[in-house]
Amino acid sequence: MTAELVRGQNHPLPGNRLEIRVSVGKPIVAGATLCDDQGKVRGTEWVAHPGAPTLPGLEVPKQAAADHRLAVDLDAVPDAVHQVNVLLSLPVGVGGPVRFGALAAPFVAVTGLDGTEVASYTITDLDAESAVVALEIYRRQGAWKVRAVGQGYAGGLADMLVDQGLPQARELAGTINEAVAQGLARSVAAPPPRPPDEARVRAGTQGNGTPLADGASPSVQPSADGPSNTAPADAPSTGGPVNYSHPGRQTTAPPPPAPTAPPAAPGQPAQPVAGDATGWSMDERLYNQVWGMFEDLARTVSAYRSAVDFADSRMEQELDRALSDPRSRIGGAGDTAREAAQAKHADLVDQARAALDRDLAQLTAESDVVEPALPPAYASWDNPVWHGYRAPFEIPMALRLGDLSLAETPDLRIPMLVRLPLERGLWIDSGRSAADSLADADEVRRRAMESAVAHAARLLAVYPAREFAVHVIDPAGSATGALAPLVASGVLDEPPASGAAGVSAVLARLTQRVDLVQMAVRGGAADSLPPDLDTAEQLLIVNDFPHGFDDRAVTQLRYLADEGPAVGVHLMLVADREDAAGYGPLLDPLWRSLLRLTPVPDDHLADPWVGHAWTYEPPAAPAGSRVLEDVLAKVAEARRTRGR
């Protein structure tokens, strides 16, 4: 099973002969560096690049391309090598994009020689960077692992090589850029580029340009350590596409949080405060604080598990030593040694548990303060903030997709926040693998659709009234009950599409929209779109896929999943993957492009650092509550009064 990594997450490698595949959609340069045990590149002979593509155990492409394959044989690298970095950079001086923010998010996959995918990583949140360390393959205790890095450099290839300790970094960067330019001059022109993120076309006001991974995606996705991969944004231009970057998001360092609580007494933990994080606004501070809580919980549970593992290992060693002599097994010596080892084990575990309980108490106190202060976009459906809901006039920074928890702390839930606009579609898994606790398959499908409706309702609620539209495809009409809140409130511009004709019509309309916006963006004519084109963000909910889809419809759906997010068309798929097994590997890219969520609590999300199995809990309104219907009614009213 492929591990879908997020920044900072590592994964063991099953073998030492690998292939690394890179896909961006626009010609880029792929290379690699060899590093010693200090993480330093000792010389230019440790850098594989288009001008010198072959090193012992390593071979990289000889020129820039939209897709790359790098060959790695870890058994053949020098003994002094402890780390292999996979580097990506944009060609210089060839008239192409000068920053990764203008491209689709790079996708990197590590495969075996038979093509079996071991791990993959989609590098998100790049902006002004023109070079990035995508992956690192490193040696740890005799075994090799891969880690998703995603560290970008606005200063380009030279700055990246300087950061890796190469003395001749700038000279080598110039040599690489010259070799790439010569290669491109001899190559066939690349396909048209994907539209840049900042050229999302939207009506009226500006918007912003994403677990944790599911192999998290969320993005859901914080950085474990190291410098941020953000850099100063490009200066605004006087022509061309409008820059739709988030008006409230700054690129300079935000101010530190202002103290709002008295200092703690000596020896006592500090009193938690909502918004106790850096940020330019309270929403940004709360967003950063929530991810800080996630990181703290991951670290403290990791420390506890490591301590317990150490205690188990120590007890086993002591018992082995005590009982290795046959004479100690006679009489009470063996029992005494066993009791002493067990007592030490219990003492170590108790100490670790005490430290865990102390940290959890502090995190729980912080959660109790932060949850009531969250804005609607971050708040759970039982938060009182929804009772005073009013349609917003600006797009928020992020959206809550559910809650995350660990086995040691089932009652402490951390909000799962992803950045807006969504950079990946969502897949609500209605299969039995995601809901083994439910015996009725129909109940699983019903809950999956209700979860999709809850996500759609939140998206409608947090976007300005004229900035988001929802379309529904329900080929067999099996989701009528679950869709009732959306249909009855009037937030849908048209009834859910059913039958083959309905499926075809909706897909054709949204595919045409993507094509038109892409052409307008590429031609620098965003103001020349047809006057009847709806330029709001679009969400397509598809129920019970692939029922009702012919081959053409499947191709259109894949196209929307790949190209739609860059121009404001998003996909939410409610499906059981087993139902689409007949398509074989054809749909593998589709499933991989979507963030998998489940309609019931399920521990399928991977930790960004040490591999915890996080339990995802979907958002749900309290039993008997009409908060969902009330919020949708206010959204519908705002859409009417604001002219939509």
Side-chain angles (χ1 to χ4, degrees):
M1 179 177 180
T2 303
E4 297 183 10
L5 308 179
V6 296
R7 184 175 294 115
Q9 184 181 357
N10 60 51
H11 187 74
L13 294 174
N16 289 347
R17 300 186 66 188
L18 311 166
E19 186 175 77
I20 298 173
R21 302 179 181 181
V22 180
S23 178
V24 181
K26 186 74 176 178
I28 65 166
V29 182
T33 57
L34 306 178
C35 298
D36 57 22
D37 56 353
Q38 302 299 316
K40 302 298 183 183
V41 180
R42 294 184 177 180
T44 57
E45 68 278 5
W46 275 24
V47 182
H49 57 84
T54 304
L55 294 179
L58 189 62
E59 184 174 358
V60 304
K62 297 181 179 180
Q63 66 179 30
D67 297 285
H68 289 288
R69 294 191 178 191
L70 291 72
V72 181
D73 184 355
L74 297 173
D75 291 328
V77 300
D79 293 339
V81 172
H82 288 257
Q83 181 177 315
V84 180
N85 294 318
V86 177
L87 317 178
L88 309 178
S89 68
L90 297 176
V92 175
V94 297
V98 297
R99 60 191 189 91
F100 273 104
L103 303 177
F107 175 77
V108 186
V110 180
T111 72
L113 294 183
D114 60 353
T116 302
E117 200 168 282
V118 177
S120 64
Y121 174 38
T122 301
I123 310 174
T124 58
D125 296 332
L126 295 177
D127 187 9
E129 299 85 347
S130 58
V132 60
V133 179
L135 299 173
E136 68 177 23
I137 300 172
Y138 63 99
R139 197 197 311 257
R140 180 66 53 84
Q141 296 178 348
W144 289 93
K145 295 184 177 183
V146 60
R147 176 183 289 120
V149 180
Q151 174 60 53
Y153 296 82
L157 187 60
D159 280 9
M160 180 165 57
L161 294 174
V162 167
D163 195 41
Q164 295 186 26
L166 180 63
Q168 310 90 342
R170 302 200 180 279
E171 293 82 355
L172 181 59
T175 301
I176 295 173
N177 290 330
E178 181 179 355
V180 171
Q182 293 175 355
L184 284 176
R186 298 190 299 267
S187 65
V188 178
R194 294 189 179 188
D197 289 346
E198 73 273 19
R200 301 176 191 274
V201 178
R202 202 193 308 268
T205 59
Q206 293 181 343
N208 68 329
T210 65
L212 179 87
D214 77 337
S217 248
S219 25
V220 185
Q221 304 79 284
S223 175
D225 50 27
S228 169
N229 69 339
T230 58
D234 294 345
S237 61
T238 56
V242 178
N243 180 5
Y244 284 102
S245 60
H246 196 292
R249 186 173 303 150
Q250 306 293 329
T251 56
T252 55
T260 57
Q268 298 297 320
Q271 294 298 315
V273 177
D276 186 17
T278 58
W280 289 98
S281 65
M282 179 55 74
D283 283 6
E284 186 173 359
R285 291 182 176 186
L286 287 169
Y287 173 84
N288 291 332
Q289 186 173 13
V290 167
W291 277 118
M293 293 165 58
F294 168 82
E295 294 170 1
D296 289 344
L297 180 57
R299 276 193 291 265
T300 191
V301 172
S302 178
Y304 170 73
R305 292 180 179 178
S306 296
V308 172
D309 289 343
F310 171 76
D312 293 342
S313 175
R314 177 174 173 175
M315 183 177 68
E316 290 177 2
Q317 293 174 4
E318 291 180 349
L319 290 176
D320 287 342
R321 285 196 300 268
L323 302 179
S324 59
D325 186 353
R327 292 173 297 180
S328 63
R329 303 173 195 168
I330 302 174
D335 293 338
T336 302
R338 186 179 296 105
E339 291 173 358
Q342 291 173 345
K344 290 179 181 179
H345 175 271
D347 183 58
L348 289 174
V349 172
D350 289 344
Q351 292 181 38
R353 186 70 212 191
L356 175 65
D357 290 342
R358 181 194 64 232
D359 293 342
L360 293 182
Q362 183 69 9
L363 282 171
T364 300
E366 186 174 11
S367 177
D368 291 342
V369 171
V370 170
E371 276 285 357
L374 295 177
Y378 306 170
S380 60
W381 285 113
D382 59 359
N383 193 309
V385 71
W386 290 108
H387 298 300
Y389 168 78
R390 294 292 182 271
F393 289 90
E394 293 184 355
I395 301 173
M397 175 179 292
L399 179 82
R400 185 172 187 160
L401 288 182
D403 294 330
L404 303 170
S405 62
L406 290 171
E408 289 83 354
T409 61
D411 295 330
L412 177 58
R413 297 180 176 88
I414 306 296
M416 178 181 175
L417 304 181
V418 296
R419 298 295 286 266
L420 289 178
L422 296 173
E423 294 186 356
R424 301 174 65 185
L426 303 178
W427 167 29
I428 314 298
D429 189 355
S430 60
R432 293 290 301 122
S433 61
D436 291 335
S437 60
L438 298 178
D440 188 355
D442 292 337
E443 175 68 9
V444 177
R445 296 179 185 274
R446 182 186 65 81
R447 290 199 186 187
M449 198 61 202
E450 289 177 348
S451 180
V453 170
H455 288 304
R458 183 181 292 268
L459 282 163
L460 284 165
V462 303
Y463 269 81
R466 294 181 294 175
E467 292 294 320
F468 202 84
V470 175
H471 309 269
V472 180
I473 289 179
D474 185 19
S478 60
T480 302
L483 290 170
L486 295 177
V487 175
S489 63
V491 295
L492 300 180
D493 291 334
E494 57 188 8
S498 60
V503 171
S504 177
V506 173
L507 292 175
R509 187 166 62 251
L510 291 177
T511 301
Q512 182 186 43
R513 182 192 184 281
V514 171
D515 290 339
L516 289 173
V517 176
Q518 282 186 339
M519 288 189 291
V521 170
R522 291 170 181 168
D527 295 334
S528 301
L529 289 168
D532 60 342
L533 183 74
D534 185 359
T535 54
E537 296 274 322
Q538 310 285 314
L539 174 68
L540 173 61
I541 302 175
V542 178
N543 180 46
D544 216 13
F545 175 81
H547 298 296
F549 280 69
D550 56 20
D551 290 345
R552 176 179 173 81
V554 169
T555 301
Q556 289 176 316
L557 192 71
R558 288 185 56 189
Y559 176 73
L560 292 178
D562 292 339
E563 305 292 340
V567 290
V569 177
H570 310 285
L571 178 63
M572 186 183 297
L573 199 62
V574 181
D576 178 359
R577 189 168 182 172
E578 291 299 320
D579 291 343
Y583 287 92
L586 177 67
L587 292 182
D588 286 351
L590 173 65
W591 304 115
R592 188 172 59 232
S593 69
L594 304 175
L595 174 61
R596 176 176 174 255
L597 303 175
T598 54
V600 295
D602 186 75
D603 59 350
H604 68 281
L605 295 179
D607 186 276
W609 304 299
V610 290
H612 296 330
W614 288 83
T615 296
Y616 166 78
E617 184 171 340
S625 171
R626 290 190 54 81
V627 61
L628 203 66
E629 291 80 359
D630 293 343
V631 168
L632 287 174
K634 293 179 180 179
V635 170
E637 177 62 24
R639 288 160 64 90
R640 288 191 293 269
T641 58
R642 297 184 192 178
R644 181 171 172 75

